[in-house]
């Protein structure tokens, strides 16, 4: 996610935190990220990396809080909006995810990951609409093929940046 241009010394810290996580040392990566954030509280990139580490550590609530904070403090950055939408979509909060993805795309209309995630959320909303229509009109033969077609699309997980 090459949005920010880090100073060379900082780039090493980002790489080290990500290396630790990649080596399965997520607790150490989080500790190092926290130390860096304490020393550089206005740096959004390490906070973004930390949110990704929290998500990967099954700590979605903490990741959500950090991403929400980032959207308040740096609302012009599309990546936190996208990743927040991924968390909300995973929780079934599709309308909220849709709004967050639309915000990310207003900020960067060419943000491919957010566009992909928007398609995923819209497909899930479409599937819900088709399923509800089928419950209301069980004789409608056009609905089941649509539901089946969407099932294949919905098996792929949403994509966060990080």
């Amino acid at each position: 996610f090459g949005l920010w241009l880090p100073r060379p010394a900082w780039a090493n810290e980002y790489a080290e935190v990500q290396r630790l996580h990649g080596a399965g040392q997520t607790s150490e990566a989080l500790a190092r990220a926290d130390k860096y954030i304490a020393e550089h509280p206005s740096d959004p990139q390490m906070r973004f990396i930390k949110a990704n580490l929290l998500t990967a550590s099954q700590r979605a609530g903490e990741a959500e809080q950090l991403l929400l904070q980032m959207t308040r403090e740096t609302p012009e950055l599309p990546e936190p909006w996208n990743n927040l939408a991924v968390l909300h979509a995973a929780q079934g909060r599709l309308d909220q995810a849709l709004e967050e993805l639309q915000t990310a795309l207003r900020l960067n209309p060419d943000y491919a990951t957010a566009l992909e995630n928007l398609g995923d959320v819209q497909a899930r909303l479409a599937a819900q609409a088709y399923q509800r229509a089928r419950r209301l009109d069980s004789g409608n033969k056009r609905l089941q093929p649509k539901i089946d077609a969407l099932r294949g699309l919905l098996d792929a997980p949403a994509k966060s940046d990080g």
Side-chain angles (χ1 to χ4, degrees):
F1 54 89
L3 179 62
W4 302 282
L5 298 176
R7 295 180 187 149
W10 295 6
N12 292 339
E13 276 303 302
Y14 304 144
E16 181 59 16
V17 168
Q18 292 176 321
R19 184 197 68 75
L20 286 167
H21 174 63
Q25 299 173 315
T26 303
S27 295
E28 293 85 348
L30 280 166
R32 189 134 182 184
D34 284 337
K35 181 176 185 266
Y36 180 90
I37 291 166
E39 295 169 2
H40 306 93
S42 63
D43 177 9
Q45 188 165 358
M46 187 63 81
R47 290 168 48 207
F48 186 73
I49 292 169
K50 179 181 177 183
N52 290 333
L53 293 173
L54 290 168
T55 300
S57 301
Q58 308 302 314
R59 294 165 62 182
E62 292 173 70
E64 179 181 2
Q65 290 307 309
L66 182 53
L67 290 166
L68 281 168
Q69 180 183 10
M70 290 183 71
T71 62
R72 286 190 298 272
E73 294 174 5
T74 53
E76 71 279 6
L77 300 177
E79 290 84 357
W81 291 104
N82 175 73
N83 286 25
L84 195 55
V86 171
L87 290 174
H88 289 151
Q91 297 166 356
R93 295 159 59 187
L94 299 179
D95 290 334
Q96 190 171 3
L98 182 64
E99 288 179 28
E100 292 156 349
L101 289 166
Q102 290 169 337
T103 298
L105 289 165
R106 271 193 302 278
L107 294 167
N108 180 359
D110 298 326
Y111 187 4
T113 302
L115 284 166
E116 177 183 351
N117 290 336
L118 177 64
D120 292 343
V121 167
Q122 289 173 329
R124 287 178 63 187
L125 288 167
Q128 287 178 354
Y130 291 147
Q131 289 167 348
R132 183 164 183 243
R134 185 181 59 191
R135 283 193 302 275
L136 296 170
D137 183 9
S138 60
N140 186 336
K141 303 289 186 211
R142 296 182 310 269
L143 294 171
Q144 192 59 48
K146 293 176 183 183
I147 292 168
D148 292 341
L150 285 172
R151 274 199 185 121
L153 290 173
L154 298 176
D155 289 339
K159 184 177 179 189
S160 61
D161 269 348

